[in-house]
Amino acid sequence: MTELSVPLKAATPLPTGWRQRLTPLWREVSATEHVDGFNARHFRARQILAVVGLLPMVFTGNLIGTVTIAATFWGQMPSWALSLWVILAVLSLVALDRGLRLLVKMVGAKPVAEPSSLHVVCLSVAAFAGIWAVIPALMFPITDHLGQLLIASVLVGMMCGGGLILSSVPIAACAYVMVICAATALALQRSAYVNNVSLLGLLGIWSVTVMGVTMANARMFFARLRAEAESDRQRQLIDLLLRDFEEHASDWLWEVSRTGHFRHVSARLAQSFGLPSRQLVTHSFSELVESMLPREVPEAVAAFEQLQTHLSLGRPFRDLELPVRVDGQLRWWSLMAKPLFDDRGRAAGWRGVGADVTQGRIARDEMARLANVDALTGLANRHCFSLELARVCASVETSQRGCALLFVDLDNFKGINDSLGHAVGDQLLRSVAARIQACVAPGDLLARLGGDEFALLSWQAGDEASAVQLGDRVLAALATPCQLEDVRVEVRASIGMALAPRDGTSPQTLLQSADLALYAAKAGGRNTHRFFLPFMGESARARARLQQELGVALADEQFAVHYQPQVSTLTGQVVGFEALVRWQHQERGLIGPNEFIPVAEETGQIVPLGTWVLRQACKVAMQWPGEIRVAVNLSAVQFRSHSVVDLVEQALADSGLPAERLELEITESALIDDHEGAQATLAALRSRGIRVALDDFGTGYSSLAYLRRFPMDQLKIDGMFVRSLDSDPDAQAVVTAIISLAKALRLETTAEGVELPEQMVMLRALGCDVVQGFWMARPMPATDIPAFLARMEPVREN
């Protein structure tokens, strides 16, 4: 608004209402540091240069007008005066052109102009208009009707053309139009041939129209300038990010034209190909990759053909692994790209990202090699054992001959490991593995399941007597102390035994039987073996009873929903409640969810239970103030249900609760099995306005891949990190990382398990958005919520 201050102050002060209307308009058509920042100087220069660019056209029209005026009125006034006017009219335009160019300076690659330059433009244009204003003042009194008509026509044309030409500098355009208009009006008042009132009215309307059109053009001019500046800023930001990516990331960007040649070769790209930039741009991308293929690698040709298929079909691709040979070394690349199109929709090339995944490939191959081997002992591992056990249980031979499953667990390994160190513990495990392996008959399988647990599948011990002999041999083999370096270690073991098919015909039941027998051996004094007996399955039957009682509890509505408040760290206000289900058992009393939820998930009863909790929570939430949300947990089984979206919609419809007040909490285990289905379900829920939170973040399969692929609103930090936040630096680091990650991805964070004010202070300092835990309040029944909110009301008002 600097450019407008002088003219506005010189005029009669505008009423407050008009000033409020005109101020935003002037801001739209003027460049100020307050609005445009550093771009204001460049915008002023562009305003002036836009006028300078049209001055040749103005000069031509001005020359024609001056010659016409001079030829028409030569002899009607002194020739020296008319000649002087013609010279002034021509030279003033030349001076205006030179002066305007001097107002613009180059700073780097951009032209700039100071705020005072627009004052100079305004005064210069007004002076030029004043020269033309002399003509009607001098000639109207001494010329006839036709002469006055000619002068008026020329002035009106000058007013219209000049206003439009000067529209990039609206204040100069308005000054120009007003000077010409004033001169024309003054001349009309002195004319004896015309109706002054009607013509003056038309002149006023015409001048206002010209200024209105000028302002509209100025708005479009500045809108284009600001759009170009924003586009340039975005381009510079993208270039900066890409440059930083190429300099610091291990990946490399590649972009090829329609002919397949590189458009840009960065240092990272040239380094990845092991070729100079000049050579890279002379060959197509496909030719370069084909020349680098290691033909001796079986996957090379197939991977390259797959790449060629994607490129020829114009189909985007990702995670395409390709072996290449760079500087004589075998490397593995992972490529992703999508096709580019021009403004007419025609193919214009490809843009993508490449990554050297050689180390990952080596690690994966090594993992595949060791997939069936325990790295410490060289025995089969849990994966291999599970496959063999499944095969054994499905074998017809097992039902005819039978086989034995032995669980071997060292009795005193933890004490040895803790007192003598992990190195001695590892040596002991290797020694134990070798001793047990010596007892294994050919064809049997010995595996280390993890820690100090071993499993032995024996076809030779298919009956109870043979299994007892095998168990005795193992215990005898372990009875001799182990000499480990300079330490003599005595080791004992307990063995649980189960026979197939007697004690189980499926891997699960056979494992459960052997495990229960192992617990019996440890309870029987250790350093012994026990067979599975039916009474050991009492715990399993108790679990089955729990499953049955769950069905009855669902029918009788023995469940209750308690609610734990969620509080904003910024305002201290209650922003929501988490719904937590409790089972009011008729005999056992209140049962926590940790005991019955796993059973409900295994049996599928979690779906009707979760639906009931969802409906109850939505109904109760309708009684709360309108801004408070309710958070409901969805188990993995519920989330994978095909009807989950319909159930949520029905619960909202029945209760009347707005969708944005419902937040569904899911765990990462709900996402890992069915990526496409999970993504579709999340998208359907969020499209209806329902919020989605990722529960227990940091304890499971947390990764950037999930956060990028699945749409979320919030991350919930597990309470195990929060409870040790004030004492464990590792927990502090994890919480800080989660909050920083959430902010980068524009996600909210909620911390669970806040029990101390110190934890609350640290979470607020770290930028956590919401907290919940015993320090705020324990889970409460719905009837206690109004009183709790009333107690919190002073906090809400503050």
Side-chain angles (χ1 to χ4, degrees):
M1 293 298 294
T2 305
E3 299 85 345
L4 306 179
S5 58
V6 173
L8 288 176
K9 288 183 179 179
T12 303
L14 292 171
T16 304
W18 281 100
R19 188 180 298 113
Q20 292 176 348
R21 296 178 184 177
L22 290 177
T23 298
L25 175 61
W26 279 116
R27 288 178 178 172
E28 291 183 24
V29 298
S30 61
T32 63
E33 278 71 11
H34 176 69
V35 175
D36 302 300
F38 294 112
N39 289 321
R41 300 174 67 200
H42 176 60
F43 289 173
R44 285 190 286 267
R46 292 283 297 274
Q47 288 179 270
I48 297 172
L49 291 176
V51 176
V52 172
L54 296 175
L55 283 182
M57 185 186 303
V58 177
F59 185 83
T60 302
N62 185 67
L63 183 62
I64 295 173
T66 54
V67 170
T68 302
I69 294 295
T72 301
F73 297 105
W74 192 265
Q76 297 185 29
M77 62 179 297
S79 57
W80 65 268
L82 193 57
S83 299
L84 178 61
W85 177 83
V86 171
I87 294 172
L88 285 175
V90 174
L91 292 181
S92 63
L93 195 57
V94 175
L96 181 63
D97 178 72
R98 299 294 183 185
L100 293 183
R101 293 180 185 275
L102 291 176
L103 293 175
V104 179
K105 299 179 181 179
M106 296 299 296
V107 175
K110 281 190 173 183
V112 297
E114 300 301 325
S116 59
S117 60
L118 296 186
H119 297 295
V120 176
V121 174
C122 185
L123 294 175
S124 301
V125 169
F128 175 75
I131 294 174
W132 275 91
V134 171
I135 289 299
L138 295 179
M139 298 302 299
F140 254 64
I142 63 174
T143 188
D144 56 11
H145 175 70
L146 292 177
Q148 292 179 357
L149 181 60
L150 174 64
I151 294 173
S153 300
V154 170
L155 289 177
V156 170
M158 293 284 291
M159 181 178 67
C160 296
L164 294 177
I165 290 171
L166 293 169
S167 60
S168 63
V169 189
I171 188 171
C174 292
Y176 176 83
V177 170
M178 286 189 289
V179 170
I180 296 295
C181 180
T184 306
L186 181 62
L188 289 175
Q189 289 181 346
R190 302 178 65 183
S191 172
Y193 302 102
V194 297
N195 184 343
N196 291 336
V197 176
S198 59
L199 286 182
L200 286 174
L202 290 174
L203 181 63
I205 293 173
W206 191 244
S207 62
V208 170
T209 302
V210 171
M211 286 190 288
V213 173
T214 297
M215 296 299 292
N217 288 343
R219 291 178 68 182
M220 290 189 291
F221 177 80
F222 269 92
R224 186 175 71 252
L225 284 183
R226 288 173 176 133
E228 291 175 357
E230 178 62 19
S231 177
D232 185 61
R233 187 189 70 82
Q234 295 281 359
R235 181 184 57 79
Q236 292 179 4
L237 178 60
I238 292 173
D239 289 345
L240 178 63
L241 293 175
L242 289 177
R243 194 180 310 114
D244 181 73
F245 176 83
E246 291 182 342
E247 289 177 357
H248 298 95
S250 59
D251 300 350
W252 38 273
L253 303 175
W254 61 278
E255 182 176 346
V256 297
S257 64
R258 184 171 55 85
T259 61
H261 291 78
F262 285 111
R263 286 199 176 107
H264 167 69
V265 177
S266 65
R268 179 76 65 184
L269 179 63
Q271 180 183 0
S272 299
F273 275 81
L275 297 172
S277 301
R278 295 187 302 275
Q279 186 174 349
L280 286 178
V281 298
T282 58
H283 296 82
S284 71
F285 177 70
S286 297
E287 292 174 349
L288 287 168
V289 172
E290 186 175 16
S291 66
M292 301 168 66
L293 286 179
R295 301 289 177 175
E296 70 279 6
V297 178
E299 300 178 48
V301 175
F304 180 72
E305 289 178 352
Q306 186 180 3
L307 174 64
Q308 289 291 81
T309 300
H310 288 305
L311 295 178
S312 61
L313 296 179
R315 187 170 57 195
F317 59 90
R318 63 184 301 115
D319 301 330
L320 193 157
E321 290 196 359
L322 184 75
V324 293
R325 193 167 296 282
V326 180
D327 295 333
Q329 295 182 347
L330 178 64
R331 313 295 296 178
W332 284 87
W333 288 350
S334 177
L335 301 178
M336 63 169 291
K338 63 179 181 178
L340 303 177
F341 302 95
D342 59 17
D343 53 0
R344 297 184 181 179
R346 298 175 301 185
W350 289 81
R351 179 183 296 133
V353 178
D356 190 320
V357 294
T358 304
Q359 296 302 320
R361 179 72 184 212
I362 294 174
R364 195 166 68 220
D365 291 344
E366 183 66 12
M367 289 175 62
R369 186 184 70 83
L370 298 175
N372 297 318
V373 177
D374 176 61
L376 178 63
T377 62
L379 301 177
N381 60 10
R382 180 183 291 272
H383 173 70
C384 179
F385 170 76
S386 299
L387 295 178
E388 181 63 15
L389 180 62
R391 188 190 67 80
V392 165
C393 291
S395 172
V396 177
E397 186 180 359
T398 303
S399 61
Q400 296 175 349
R401 291 178 49 195
C403 70
L405 171 60
L406 280 68
F407 272 2
V408 182
D409 186 88
L410 303 185
D411 293 333
N412 56 342
F413 177 75
K414 186 177 185 304
I416 296 172
N417 204 39
D418 293 342
S419 60
L420 302 180
H422 293 287
V424 174
D426 290 346
Q427 292 182 45
L428 176 61
L429 290 175
R430 284 192 288 266
S431 176
V432 169
R435 293 188 181 191
I436 300 176
Q437 184 70 51
C439 303
V440 176
D444 293 348
L445 176 66
L446 176 63
R448 177 176 175 243
L449 303 184
D452 61 339
E453 296 180 354
F454 298 85
L456 173 58
L457 267 176
S458 175
W459 292 93
Q460 307 301 323
D463 56 81
E464 189 168 324
S466 300
V468 169
Q469 294 176 4
L470 177 59
D472 290 338
R473 288 200 304 270
V474 172
L475 292 178
L478 298 178
T480 304
C482 299
Q483 185 65 41
L484 306 175
E485 297 181 353
D486 56 348
V487 180
R488 186 179 176 87
V489 177
E490 292 188 0
V491 62
R492 297 288 184 268
S494 298
I495 303 176
M497 298 186 293
L499 298 177
R502 186 191 74 178
D503 299 328
T505 57
S506 68
Q508 182 178 358
T509 55
L510 200 59
L511 287 171
Q512 184 179 18
S513 298
D515 196 41
L516 291 173
L518 175 62
Y519 282 123
K522 287 186 174 295
R526 306 190 177 215
N527 194 29
T528 186
H529 53 70
R530 290 285 188 274
F531 278 101
F532 170 77
L533 297 175
F535 74 86
M536 298 176 184
E538 181 58 35
S539 60
R541 287 190 290 273
R543 193 175 186 87
R545 285 197 302 271
L546 187 64
Q547 295 174 5
Q548 183 180 6
E549 291 172 351
L550 267 174
V552 176
L554 281 170
D556 297 343
E557 292 189 358
Q558 297 177 12
F559 295 94
V561 181
H562 289 192
Y563 302 86
Q564 186 171 39
Q566 298 173 330
V567 178
S568 169
T569 59
L570 183 62
T571 64
Q573 296 183 5
V574 177
V575 297
F577 287 85
E578 182 180 4
L580 302 170
V581 65
R582 300 290 188 267
W583 182 2
Q584 189 64 45
H585 196 277
Q586 294 178 345
E587 299 176 359
R588 299 171 55 189
L590 198 64
I591 302 177
N594 292 336
E595 184 174 350
F596 65 85
I597 289 296
V599 178
E601 288 183 334
E602 290 177 5
T603 60
Q605 293 169 310
I606 191 66
V607 175
L609 175 59
T611 302
W612 181 83
V613 172
L614 176 65
R615 290 175 177 173
Q616 288 295 111
C618 290
K619 290 179 183 178
V620 171
M622 279 298 296
Q623 304 171 14
W624 305 339
E627 72 276 6
I628 296 181
R629 300 190 299 262
V630 62
V632 181
N633 290 277
L634 282 186
S635 71
V637 177
Q638 280 181 278
F639 183 75
R640 298 189 190 110
S641 172
H642 296 296
S643 61
V644 62
V645 177
D646 296 334
L647 291 174
V648 172
E649 285 186 327
Q650 188 63 46
L652 291 174
D654 292 344
S655 64
L657 184 71
E660 60 272 13
R661 291 184 58 195
L662 175 62
E663 183 176 277
L664 299 177
E665 298 183 5
I666 62 174
T667 59
E668 289 159 315
S669 61
L671 309 176
I672 61 174
D673 290 336
D674 182 13
H675 288 181
E676 299 300 331
Q679 194 170 22
T681 301
L682 288 177
L685 292 171
R686 295 185 80 244
S687 68
R688 290 159 172 78
I690 301 166
R691 293 168 54 88
V692 178
L694 190 60
D695 199 12
D696 298 333
F697 186 78
T699 63
Y701 306 92
S702 308
S703 69
L704 288 177
Y706 285 107
L707 298 182
R708 287 178 55 219
R709 183 168 186 176
F710 298 111
M712 298 286 175
D713 298 290
Q714 185 176 117
L715 298 182
K716 295 200 71 176
I717 305 171
D718 190 77
M720 64 177 291
F721 301 116
V722 176
R723 282 188 288 271
S724 55
L725 185 62
D726 55 340
S727 60
D728 186 359
D730 293 338
Q732 296 175 16
V734 171
V735 173
T736 302
I738 293 175
I739 294 175
S740 300
L741 176 62
K743 289 184 179 298
L745 296 175
R746 296 180 295 278
L747 302 176
E748 294 181 6
T749 50
T750 295
E752 300 177 300
V754 178
E755 299 177 353
L756 299 172
E758 293 81 0
Q759 297 167 355
M760 175 69 172
V761 172
M762 294 187 68
L763 288 168
R764 183 188 293 116
L766 291 174
C768 183
D769 301 302
V770 179
V771 293
Q772 70 178 87
F774 290 171
W775 187 70
M776 278 68 67
R778 292 178 177 272
M780 63 189 73
T783 54
D784 293 349
I785 292 179
F788 175 80
L789 291 177
R791 292 195 302 272
M792 295 294 290
E793 191 63 30
V795 177
R796 295 171 59 85
E797 294 177 354
N798 292 337

